[in-house]
mmCIF file of all heavy atoms in Angstrom:
data_model
loop_
_atom_site.group_PDB
_atom_site.id
_atom_site.type_symbol
_atom_site.label_atom_id
_atom_site.label_comp_id
_atom_site.label_asym_id
_atom_site.label_seq_id
_atom_site.Cartn_x
_atom_site.Cartn_y
_atom_site.Cartn_z
ATOM 1 N N PHE D 341 -8.619 -56.484 -9.479
ATOM 2 C CA PHE D 341 -8.060 -56.546 -10.835
ATOM 3 C C PHE D 341 -8.862 -57.561 -11.657
ATOM 4 O O PHE D 341 -9.493 -58.495 -11.107
ATOM 5 C CB PHE D 341 -6.589 -57.000 -10.810
ATOM 6 C CG PHE D 341 -5.672 -56.059 -10.069
ATOM 7 C CD1 PHE D 341 -4.699 -56.554 -9.199
ATOM 8 C CD2 PHE D 341 -5.764 -54.694 -10.233
ATOM 9 C CE1 PHE D 341 -3.852 -55.706 -8.524
ATOM 10 C CE2 PHE D 341 -4.923 -53.840 -9.560
ATOM 11 C CZ PHE D 341 -3.958 -54.342 -8.699
ATOM 12 N N GLU D 342 -8.826 -57.404 -12.979
ATOM 13 C CA GLU D 342 -9.400 -58.382 -13.904
ATOM 14 C C GLU D 342 -8.311 -58.865 -14.844
ATOM 15 O O GLU D 342 -7.469 -58.071 -15.286
ATOM 16 C CB GLU D 342 -10.544 -57.771 -14.709
ATOM 17 C CG GLU D 342 -11.805 -57.498 -13.897
ATOM 18 C CD GLU D 342 -12.937 -56.969 -14.757
ATOM 19 O OE1 GLU D 342 -12.668 -56.588 -15.919
ATOM 20 O OE2 GLU D 342 -14.088 -56.951 -14.284
ATOM 21 N N VAL D 343 -8.338 -60.152 -15.118
ATOM 22 C CA VAL D 343 -7.357 -60.719 -16.033
ATOM 23 C C VAL D 343 -8.055 -61.756 -16.907
ATOM 24 O O VAL D 343 -8.859 -62.568 -16.417
ATOM 25 C CB VAL D 343 -6.168 -61.354 -15.275
ATOM 26 C CG1 VAL D 343 -6.632 -62.426 -14.314
ATOM 27 C CG2 VAL D 343 -5.148 -61.916 -16.250
ATOM 28 N N GLN D 344 -7.814 -61.681 -18.194
ATOM 29 C CA GLN D 344 -8.407 -62.673 -19.093
ATOM 30 C C GLN D 344 -7.694 -64.016 -18.950
ATOM 31 O O GLN D 344 -6.482 -64.069 -18.707
ATOM 32 C CB GLN D 344 -8.336 -62.175 -20.539
ATOM 33 C CG GLN D 344 -9.279 -61.015 -20.826
ATOM 34 C CD GLN D 344 -9.267 -60.626 -22.294
ATOM 35 O OE1 GLN D 344 -8.401 -61.032 -23.039
ATOM 36 N NE2 GLN D 344 -10.257 -59.816 -22.679
ATOM 37 N N GLU D 347 -4.414 -64.687 -20.884
ATOM 38 C CA GLU D 347 -3.245 -63.811 -20.759
ATOM 39 C C GLU D 347 -1.975 -64.649 -20.683
ATOM 40 O O GLU D 347 -1.950 -65.725 -20.070
ATOM 41 C CB GLU D 347 -3.358 -62.942 -19.504
ATOM 42 C CG GLU D 347 -4.410 -61.864 -19.587
ATOM 43 C CD GLU D 347 -4.015 -60.727 -20.505
ATOM 44 O OE1 GLU D 347 -2.848 -60.697 -20.961
ATOM 45 O OE2 GLU D 347 -4.865 -59.877 -20.784
ATOM 46 N N LEU D 349 2.325 -65.360 -20.010
ATOM 47 C CA LEU D 349 3.289 -65.240 -18.923
ATOM 48 C C LEU D 349 3.891 -63.822 -18.902
ATOM 49 O O LEU D 349 4.288 -63.297 -19.935
ATOM 50 C CB LEU D 349 4.404 -66.283 -19.102
ATOM 51 C CG LEU D 349 5.551 -66.252 -18.100
ATOM 52 C CD1 LEU D 349 5.061 -66.622 -16.706
ATOM 53 C CD2 LEU D 349 6.652 -67.221 -18.542
ATOM 54 N N GLY D 350 3.953 -63.168 -17.702
ATOM 55 C CA GLY D 350 4.554 -61.843 -17.546
ATOM 56 C C GLY D 350 3.616 -60.690 -17.806
ATOM 57 O O GLY D 350 3.999 -59.514 -17.657
ATOM 58 N N SER D 351 2.353 -60.985 -18.185
ATOM 59 C CA SER D 351 1.406 -59.896 -18.462
ATOM 60 C C SER D 351 1.128 -59.086 -17.197
ATOM 61 O O SER D 351 0.991 -59.651 -16.094
ATOM 62 C CB SER D 351 0.086 -60.479 -18.993
ATOM 63 O OG SER D 351 0.283 -61.136 -20.220
ATOM 64 N N ASN D 352 1.030 -57.769 -17.379
ATOM 65 C CA ASN D 352 0.695 -56.885 -16.258
ATOM 66 C C ASN D 352 -0.798 -56.960 -15.977
ATOM 67 O O ASN D 352 -1.631 -56.812 -16.892
ATOM 68 C CB ASN D 352 1.076 -55.438 -16.564
ATOM 69 C CG ASN D 352 2.576 -55.227 -16.520
ATOM 70 O OD1 ASN D 352 3.310 -56.070 -15.999
ATOM 71 N ND2 ASN D 352 3.049 -54.119 -17.067
ATOM 72 N N ILE D 353 -1.133 -57.162 -14.722
ATOM 73 C CA ILE D 353 -2.540 -57.259 -14.325
ATOM 74 C C ILE D 353 -3.034 -55.932 -13.761
ATOM 75 O O ILE D 353 -4.160 -55.507 -14.002
ATOM 76 C CB ILE D 353 -2.699 -58.384 -13.287
ATOM 77 C CG1 ILE D 353 -2.277 -59.721 -13.900
ATOM 78 C CG2 ILE D 353 -4.131 -58.451 -12.776
ATOM 79 C CD1 ILE D 353 -2.260 -60.860 -12.912
ATOM 80 N N GLY D 354 -2.221 -55.251 -13.005
ATOM 81 C CA GLY D 354 -2.584 -53.975 -12.370
ATOM 82 C C GLY D 354 -1.577 -53.624 -11.295
ATOM 83 O O GLY D 354 -0.662 -54.416 -10.994
ATOM 84 N N ARG D 374 5.347 -57.421 -1.074
ATOM 85 C CA ARG D 374 5.627 -58.863 -1.113
ATOM 86 C C ARG D 374 4.319 -59.630 -0.930
ATOM 87 O O ARG D 374 3.525 -59.301 -0.041
ATOM 88 C CB ARG D 374 6.611 -59.241 0.001
ATOM 89 C CG ARG D 374 7.021 -60.723 0.007
ATOM 90 C CD ARG D 374 8.123 -60.951 1.039
ATOM 91 N NE ARG D 374 7.631 -60.780 2.401
ATOM 92 C CZ ARG D 374 7.166 -61.787 3.143
ATOM 93 N NH1 ARG D 374 7.093 -63.019 2.632
ATOM 94 N NH2 ARG D 374 6.778 -61.568 4.382
ATOM 95 N N ILE D 375 4.070 -60.631 -1.813
ATOM 96 C CA ILE D 375 2.879 -61.468 -1.691
ATOM 97 C C ILE D 375 3.129 -62.498 -0.591
ATOM 98 O O ILE D 375 4.116 -63.234 -0.622
ATOM 99 C CB ILE D 375 2.550 -62.171 -3.020
ATOM 100 C CG1 ILE D 375 2.174 -61.127 -4.093
ATOM 101 C CG2 ILE D 375 1.398 -63.169 -2.847
ATOM 102 C CD1 ILE D 375 1.952 -61.716 -5.468
ATOM 103 N N VAL D 376 2.203 -62.556 0.383
ATOM 104 C CA VAL D 376 2.375 -63.486 1.499
ATOM 105 C C VAL D 376 1.331 -64.600 1.479
ATOM 106 O O VAL D 376 1.472 -65.593 2.202
ATOM 107 C CB VAL D 376 2.331 -62.746 2.841
ATOM 108 C CG1 VAL D 376 3.503 -61.794 2.964
ATOM 109 C CG2 VAL D 376 1.013 -61.989 3.025
ATOM 110 N N ASP D 377 0.256 -64.447 0.658
ATOM 111 C CA ASP D 377 -0.742 -65.514 0.627
ATOM 112 C C ASP D 377 -1.561 -65.411 -0.659
ATOM 113 O O ASP D 377 -1.756 -64.303 -1.190
ATOM 114 C CB ASP D 377 -1.681 -65.413 1.847
ATOM 115 C CG ASP D 377 -2.542 -66.663 1.998
ATOM 116 O OD1 ASP D 377 -2.143 -67.722 1.462
ATOM 117 O OD2 ASP D 377 -3.599 -66.557 2.639
ATOM 118 N N GLN D 378 -2.033 -66.577 -1.156
ATOM 119 C CA GLN D 378 -2.895 -66.643 -2.334
ATOM 120 C C GLN D 378 -3.919 -67.732 -2.101
ATOM 121 O O GLN D 378 -3.591 -68.860 -1.731
ATOM 122 C CB GLN D 378 -2.079 -66.964 -3.599
ATOM 123 C CG GLN D 378 -2.920 -67.311 -4.816
ATOM 124 C CD GLN D 378 -2.146 -68.023 -5.893
ATOM 125 O OE1 GLN D 378 -1.059 -67.588 -6.258
ATOM 126 N NE2 GLN D 378 -2.695 -69.133 -6.398
ATOM 127 N N ASN D 379 -5.201 -67.395 -2.334
ATOM 128 C CA ASN D 379 -6.279 -68.378 -2.207
ATOM 129 C C ASN D 379 -7.246 -68.231 -3.380
ATOM 130 O O ASN D 379 -7.622 -67.102 -3.725
ATOM 131 C CB ASN D 379 -7.055 -68.197 -0.900
ATOM 132 C CG ASN D 379 -6.273 -68.728 0.293
ATOM 133 O OD1 ASN D 379 -5.948 -69.919 0.335
ATOM 134 N ND2 ASN D 379 -5.961 -67.846 1.230
ATOM 135 N N PRO D 380 -7.636 -69.368 -4.006
ATOM 136 C CA PRO D 380 -7.134 -70.733 -3.774
ATOM 137 C C PRO D 380 -5.760 -70.925 -4.387
ATOM 138 O O PRO D 380 -5.332 -70.124 -5.210
ATOM 139 C CB PRO D 380 -8.195 -71.591 -4.465
ATOM 140 C CG PRO D 380 -8.693 -70.731 -5.580
ATOM 141 C CD PRO D 380 -8.674 -69.327 -5.057
ATOM 142 N N LYS D 381 -5.125 -71.979 -3.977
ATOM 143 C CA LYS D 381 -3.775 -72.254 -4.472
ATOM 144 C C LYS D 381 -3.819 -73.265 -5.613
ATOM 145 O O LYS D 381 -3.017 -74.194 -5.690
ATOM 146 C CB LYS D 381 -2.898 -72.761 -3.330
ATOM 147 C CG LYS D 381 -2.724 -71.738 -2.202
ATOM 148 C CD LYS D 381 -1.898 -72.304 -1.076
ATOM 149 C CE LYS D 381 -1.547 -71.257 -0.042
ATOM 150 N NZ LYS D 381 -2.707 -70.582 0.541
ATOM 151 N N ILE D 382 -4.813 -73.095 -6.496
ATOM 152 C CA ILE D 382 -4.955 -74.016 -7.646
ATOM 153 C C ILE D 382 -4.989 -73.199 -8.932
ATOM 154 O O ILE D 382 -5.396 -72.001 -8.900
ATOM 155 C CB ILE D 382 -6.251 -74.863 -7.522
ATOM 156 C CG1 ILE D 382 -7.475 -73.937 -7.331
ATOM 157 C CG2 ILE D 382 -6.159 -75.860 -6.370
ATOM 158 C CD1 ILE D 382 -8.779 -74.692 -7.353
ATOM 159 N N PRO D 383 -4.575 -73.688 -10.021
ATOM 160 C CA PRO D 383 -3.985 -75.037 -10.196
ATOM 161 C C PRO D 383 -2.618 -75.140 -9.547
ATOM 162 O O PRO D 383 -2.087 -76.248 -9.429
ATOM 163 C CB PRO D 383 -3.927 -75.196 -11.717
ATOM 164 C CG PRO D 383 -3.787 -73.802 -12.210
ATOM 165 C CD PRO D 383 -4.603 -72.949 -11.277
ATOM 166 N N LEU D 384 -2.054 -73.985 -9.090
ATOM 167 C CA LEU D 384 -0.773 -74.063 -8.374
ATOM 168 C C LEU D 384 -0.626 -72.797 -7.543
ATOM 169 O O LEU D 384 -1.295 -71.781 -7.775
ATOM 170 C CB LEU D 384 0.394 -74.230 -9.356
ATOM 171 C CG LEU D 384 0.542 -73.227 -10.504
ATOM 172 C CD1 LEU D 384 1.376 -72.041 -10.123
ATOM 173 C CD2 LEU D 384 1.140 -73.934 -11.717
ATOM 174 N N ASP D 385 0.257 -72.849 -6.522
ATOM 175 C CA ASP D 385 0.550 -71.672 -5.691
ATOM 176 C C ASP D 385 1.478 -70.725 -6.471
ATOM 177 O O ASP D 385 2.132 -71.131 -7.434
ATOM 178 C CB ASP D 385 1.201 -72.125 -4.393
ATOM 179 C CG ASP D 385 1.130 -71.053 -3.315
ATOM 180 O OD1 ASP D 385 0.599 -69.943 -3.604
ATOM 181 O OD2 ASP D 385 1.597 -71.308 -2.189
ATOM 182 N N SER D 386 1.529 -69.498 -6.054
ATOM 183 C CA SER D 386 2.413 -68.493 -6.680
ATOM 184 C C SER D 386 2.091 -68.306 -8.160
ATOM 185 O O SER D 386 2.978 -68.273 -9.013
ATOM 186 C CB SER D 386 3.888 -68.881 -6.505
ATOM 187 O OG SER D 386 4.207 -69.032 -5.145
ATOM 188 N N LEU D 387 0.753 -68.179 -8.447
ATOM 189 C CA LEU D 387 0.359 -67.851 -9.822
ATOM 190 C C LEU D 387 0.766 -66.415 -10.180
ATOM 191 O O LEU D 387 0.914 -66.085 -11.353
ATOM 192 C CB LEU D 387 -1.157 -67.993 -9.975
ATOM 193 C CG LEU D 387 -1.703 -69.401 -10.239
ATOM 194 C CD1 LEU D 387 -3.222 -69.372 -10.198
ATOM 195 C CD2 LEU D 387 -1.216 -69.905 -11.594
ATOM 196 N N PHE D 388 0.927 -65.565 -9.142
ATOM 197 C CA PHE D 388 1.179 -64.138 -9.371
ATOM 198 C C PHE D 388 2.492 -63.727 -8.715
ATOM 199 O O PHE D 388 2.903 -64.300 -7.695
ATOM 200 C CB PHE D 388 0.039 -63.293 -8.802
ATOM 201 C CG PHE D 388 -1.331 -63.760 -9.245
ATOM 202 C CD1 PHE D 388 -2.100 -64.569 -8.404
ATOM 203 C CD2 PHE D 388 -1.824 -63.424 -10.488
ATOM 204 C CE1 PHE D 388 -3.354 -65.016 -8.805
ATOM 205 C CE2 PHE D 388 -3.077 -63.863 -10.894
ATOM 206 C CZ PHE D 388 -3.842 -64.669 -10.052
ATOM 207 N N ILE D 389 3.122 -62.769 -9.303
ATOM 208 C CA ILE D 389 4.293 -62.130 -8.697
ATOM 209 C C ILE D 389 4.021 -60.626 -8.624
ATOM 210 O O ILE D 389 3.168 -60.096 -9.359
ATOM 211 C CB ILE D 389 5.579 -62.423 -9.502
ATOM 212 C CG1 ILE D 389 5.431 -61.938 -10.948
ATOM 213 C CG2 ILE D 389 5.947 -63.882 -9.445
ATOM 214 C CD1 ILE D 389 6.714 -62.093 -11.770
ATOM 215 N N ILE D 390 4.703 -59.907 -7.730
ATOM 216 C CA ILE D 390 4.527 -58.457 -7.576
ATOM 217 C C ILE D 390 5.895 -57.800 -7.605
ATOM 218 O O ILE D 390 6.859 -58.306 -7.015
ATOM 219 C CB ILE D 390 3.771 -58.122 -6.268
ATOM 220 C CG1 ILE D 390 3.385 -56.636 -6.242
ATOM 221 C CG2 ILE D 390 4.577 -58.500 -5.028
ATOM 222 C CD1 ILE D 390 2.401 -56.294 -5.118
ATOM 223 N N GLN D 391 5.989 -56.723 -8.337
ATOM 224 C CA GLN D 391 7.257 -55.985 -8.398
ATOM 225 C C GLN D 391 7.504 -55.339 -7.034
ATOM 226 O O GLN D 391 6.642 -54.611 -6.512
ATOM 227 C CB GLN D 391 7.191 -54.919 -9.500
ATOM 228 C CG GLN D 391 7.074 -55.510 -10.903
ATOM 229 C CD GLN D 391 6.985 -54.435 -11.978
ATOM 230 O OE1 GLN D 391 7.172 -53.251 -11.696
ATOM 231 N NE2 GLN D 391 6.716 -54.862 -13.207
ATOM 232 N N THR D 396 3.428 -53.615 -8.874
ATOM 233 C CA THR D 396 2.704 -54.063 -10.075
ATOM 234 C C THR D 396 2.608 -55.594 -10.093
ATOM 235 O O THR D 396 3.620 -56.288 -9.927
ATOM 236 C CB THR D 396 3.409 -53.562 -11.347
ATOM 237 O OG1 THR D 396 3.442 -52.133 -11.308
ATOM 238 C CG2 THR D 396 2.673 -54.020 -12.588
ATOM 239 N N PHE D 397 1.363 -56.104 -10.303
ATOM 240 C CA PHE D 397 1.120 -57.544 -10.395
ATOM 241 C C PHE D 397 1.406 -58.045 -11.808
ATOM 242 O O PHE D 397 1.034 -57.388 -12.795
ATOM 243 C CB PHE D 397 -0.340 -57.856 -10.037
ATOM 244 C CG PHE D 397 -0.581 -58.074 -8.585
ATOM 245 C CD1 PHE D 397 -0.627 -57.011 -7.701
ATOM 246 C CD2 PHE D 397 -0.756 -59.357 -8.079
ATOM 247 C CE1 PHE D 397 -0.852 -57.209 -6.357
ATOM 248 C CE2 PHE D 397 -0.974 -59.565 -6.730
ATOM 249 C CZ PHE D 397 -1.028 -58.494 -5.863
ATOM 250 N N GLN D 398 2.016 -59.248 -11.900
ATOM 251 C CA GLN D 398 2.245 -59.918 -13.174
ATOM 252 C C GLN D 398 1.910 -61.407 -13.032
ATOM 253 O O GLN D 398 1.905 -61.957 -11.917
ATOM 254 C CB GLN D 398 3.718 -59.767 -13.605
ATOM 255 C CG GLN D 398 4.125 -58.338 -13.928
ATOM 256 C CD GLN D 398 5.594 -58.233 -14.233
ATOM 257 O OE1 GLN D 398 6.413 -58.358 -13.334
ATOM 258 N NE2 GLN D 398 5.905 -58.060 -15.522
ATOM 259 N N LEU D 399 1.627 -62.009 -14.166
ATOM 260 C CA LEU D 399 1.376 -63.457 -14.166
ATOM 261 C C LEU D 399 2.707 -64.207 -14.192
ATOM 262 O O LEU D 399 3.588 -63.897 -14.993
ATOM 263 C CB LEU D 399 0.556 -63.845 -15.399
ATOM 264 C CG LEU D 399 -0.955 -63.598 -15.331
ATOM 265 C CD1 LEU D 399 -1.594 -63.914 -16.669
ATOM 266 C CD2 LEU D 399 -1.574 -64.437 -14.224
ATOM 267 N N SER D 400 2.825 -65.170 -13.297
ATOM 268 C CA SER D 400 4.035 -66.021 -13.302
ATOM 269 C C SER D 400 3.802 -67.321 -14.073
ATOM 270 O O SER D 400 4.715 -68.129 -14.215
ATOM 271 C CB SER D 400 4.461 -66.347 -11.869
ATOM 272 O OG SER D 400 3.475 -67.146 -11.234
ATOM 273 N N SER D 401 2.550 -67.504 -14.534
ATOM 274 C CA SER D 401 2.215 -68.730 -15.266
ATOM 275 C C SER D 401 1.064 -68.426 -16.210
ATOM 276 O O SER D 401 0.310 -67.465 -16.002
ATOM 277 C CB SER D 401 1.804 -69.847 -14.284
ATOM 278 O OG SER D 401 1.265 -70.937 -14.967
ATOM 279 N N SER D 403 -1.449 -70.429 -16.636
ATOM 280 C CA SER D 403 -2.322 -71.551 -16.271
ATOM 281 C C SER D 403 -3.690 -71.090 -15.795
ATOM 282 O O SER D 403 -4.382 -71.835 -15.089
ATOM 283 C CB SER D 403 -1.647 -72.404 -15.182
ATOM 284 O OG SER D 403 -0.400 -72.885 -15.600
ATOM 285 N N LEU D 404 -4.127 -69.822 -16.088
ATOM 286 C CA LEU D 404 -5.434 -69.377 -15.634
ATOM 287 C C LEU D 404 -6.527 -70.048 -16.440
ATOM 288 O O LEU D 404 -6.448 -70.184 -17.667
ATOM 289 C CB LEU D 404 -5.551 -67.853 -15.772
ATOM 290 C CG LEU D 404 -4.643 -67.022 -14.850
ATOM 291 C CD1 LEU D 404 -4.823 -65.550 -15.134
ATOM 292 C CD2 LEU D 404 -4.946 -67.329 -13.389
ATOM 293 N N ALA D 409 -10.845 -71.759 -11.532
ATOM 294 C CA ALA D 409 -11.010 -70.753 -10.457
ATOM 295 C C ALA D 409 -11.320 -69.415 -11.124
ATOM 296 O O ALA D 409 -10.565 -68.956 -11.978
ATOM 297 C CB ALA D 409 -9.756 -70.658 -9.607
ATOM 298 N N SER D 410 -12.442 -68.826 -10.735
ATOM 299 C CA SER D 410 -12.835 -67.546 -11.342
ATOM 300 C C SER D 410 -12.365 -66.345 -10.523
ATOM 301 O O SER D 410 -12.367 -65.216 -11.020
ATOM 302 C CB SER D 410 -14.354 -67.483 -11.499
ATOM 303 O OG SER D 410 -14.992 -67.561 -10.227
ATOM 304 N N THR D 411 -11.939 -66.560 -9.263
ATOM 305 C CA THR D 411 -11.515 -65.454 -8.392
ATOM 306 C C THR D 411 -10.366 -65.919 -7.511
ATOM 307 O O THR D 411 -10.392 -67.040 -6.987
ATOM 308 C CB THR D 411 -12.673 -64.971 -7.508
ATOM 309 O OG1 THR D 411 -13.744 -64.531 -8.332
ATOM 310 C CG2 THR D 411 -12.214 -63.815 -6.605
ATOM 311 N N TYR D 412 -9.379 -65.029 -7.302
ATOM 312 C CA TYR D 412 -8.260 -65.303 -6.395
ATOM 313 C C TYR D 412 -8.190 -64.157 -5.370
ATOM 314 O O TYR D 412 -8.348 -62.975 -5.714
ATOM 315 C CB TYR D 412 -6.936 -65.379 -7.152
ATOM 316 C CG TYR D 412 -6.803 -66.599 -8.026
ATOM 317 C CD1 TYR D 412 -7.217 -66.596 -9.355
ATOM 318 C CD2 TYR D 412 -6.258 -67.780 -7.498
ATOM 319 C CE1 TYR D 412 -7.104 -67.718 -10.140
ATOM 320 C CE2 TYR D 412 -6.138 -68.925 -8.305
ATOM 321 C CZ TYR D 412 -6.567 -68.894 -9.615
ATOM 322 O OH TYR D 412 -6.452 -70.012 -10.392
ATOM 323 N N SER D 413 -7.970 -64.520 -4.137
ATOM 324 C CA SER D 413 -7.719 -63.539 -3.066
ATOM 325 C C SER D 413 -6.234 -63.582 -2.725
ATOM 326 O O SER D 413 -5.713 -64.654 -2.371
ATOM 327 C CB SER D 413 -8.566 -63.847 -1.831
ATOM 328 O OG SER D 413 -9.936 -63.718 -2.128
ATOM 329 N N VAL D 414 -5.599 -62.392 -2.808
ATOM 330 C CA VAL D 414 -4.149 -62.312 -2.587
ATOM 331 C C VAL D 414 -3.891 -61.317 -1.450
ATOM 332 O O VAL D 414 -4.485 -60.232 -1.406
ATOM 333 C CB VAL D 414 -3.411 -61.863 -3.863
ATOM 334 C CG1 VAL D 414 -1.915 -61.782 -3.609
ATOM 335 C CG2 VAL D 414 -3.718 -62.828 -5.009
ATOM 336 N N THR D 415 -3.038 -61.711 -0.503
ATOM 337 C CA THR D 415 -2.625 -60.812 0.588
ATOM 338 C C THR D 415 -1.205 -60.340 0.316
ATOM 339 O O THR D 415 -0.304 -61.138 0.079
ATOM 340 C CB THR D 415 -2.684 -61.522 1.943
ATOM 341 O OG1 THR D 415 -4.007 -62.020 2.150
ATOM 342 C CG2 THR D 415 -2.298 -60.584 3.066
ATOM 343 N N VAL D 416 -1.035 -58.989 0.358
ATOM 344 C CA VAL D 416 0.258 -58.370 0.055
ATOM 345 C C VAL D 416 0.763 -57.639 1.301
ATOM 346 O O VAL D 416 0.013 -56.878 1.942
ATOM 347 C CB VAL D 416 0.149 -57.380 -1.127
ATOM 348 C CG1 VAL D 416 1.500 -56.720 -1.388
ATOM 349 C CG2 VAL D 416 -0.348 -58.098 -2.373
ATOM 350 N N VAL D 429 -6.115 -57.997 -2.088
ATOM 351 C CA VAL D 429 -6.303 -57.853 -3.529
ATOM 352 C C VAL D 429 -7.198 -58.986 -4.012
ATOM 353 O O VAL D 429 -7.015 -60.154 -3.629
ATOM 354 C CB VAL D 429 -4.949 -57.885 -4.281
ATOM 355 C CG1 VAL D 429 -5.175 -57.782 -5.788
ATOM 356 C CG2 VAL D 429 -4.042 -56.767 -3.785
ATOM 357 N N LYS D 430 -8.192 -58.644 -4.841
ATOM 358 C CA LYS D 430 -9.069 -59.628 -5.459
ATOM 359 C C LYS D 430 -8.818 -59.617 -6.965
ATOM 360 O O LYS D 430 -8.870 -58.559 -7.597
ATOM 361 C CB LYS D 430 -10.523 -59.295 -5.160
ATOM 362 C CG LYS D 430 -11.514 -60.285 -5.758
ATOM 363 C CD LYS D 430 -12.942 -59.881 -5.400
ATOM 364 C CE LYS D 430 -13.960 -60.855 -5.977
ATOM 365 N NZ LYS D 430 -15.349 -60.448 -5.667
ATOM 366 N N ILE D 431 -8.552 -60.794 -7.530
ATOM 367 C CA ILE D 431 -8.266 -60.910 -8.964
ATOM 368 C C ILE D 431 -9.366 -61.760 -9.588
ATOM 369 O O ILE D 431 -9.533 -62.948 -9.233
ATOM 370 C CB ILE D 431 -6.879 -61.534 -9.216
ATOM 371 C CG1 ILE D 431 -5.798 -60.667 -8.560
ATOM 372 C CG2 ILE D 431 -6.627 -61.674 -10.711
ATOM 373 C CD1 ILE D 431 -4.400 -61.253 -8.653
ATOM 374 N N ASN D 432 -10.124 -61.166 -10.489
ATOM 375 C CA ASN D 432 -11.199 -61.864 -11.195
ATOM 376 C C ASN D 432 -10.679 -62.354 -12.542
ATOM 377 O O ASN D 432 -10.133 -61.577 -13.332
ATOM 378 C CB ASN D 432 -12.393 -60.943 -11.411
ATOM 379 C CG ASN D 432 -13.056 -60.542 -10.106
ATOM 380 O OD1 ASN D 432 -13.126 -61.356 -9.173
ATOM 381 N ND2 ASN D 432 -13.537 -59.308 -10.036
ATOM 382 N N VAL D 433 -10.870 -63.656 -12.789
ATOM 383 C CA VAL D 433 -10.516 -64.231 -14.088
ATOM 384 C C VAL D 433 -11.750 -64.108 -14.975
ATOM 385 O O VAL D 433 -12.833 -64.587 -14.620
ATOM 386 C CB VAL D 433 -10.093 -65.701 -13.949
ATOM 387 C CG1 VAL D 433 -9.711 -66.269 -15.312
ATOM 388 C CG2 VAL D 433 -8.944 -65.836 -12.955
#
Side-chain angles (χ1 to χ4, degrees):
F341 298 137
E342 289 184 347
V343 57
Q344 289 185 346
E347 289 287 352
L349 176 66
S351 297
N352 287 345
I353 299 174
R374 183 173 68 93
I375 295 175
V376 295
D377 192 22
Q378 169 198 312
N379 284 300
K381 298 178 172 57
I382 54 174
L384 54 89
D385 198 358
S386 303
L387 277 173
F388 310 98
I389 58 175
I390 190 169
Q391 294 179 9
T396 300
F397 272 76
Q398 294 176 289
L399 280 175
S400 65
S401 170
S403 302
L404 293 178
S410 62
T411 301
Y412 290 90
S413 296
V414 180
T415 303
V416 178
V429 178
K430 181 180 180 182
I431 301 175
N432 294 324
V433 181

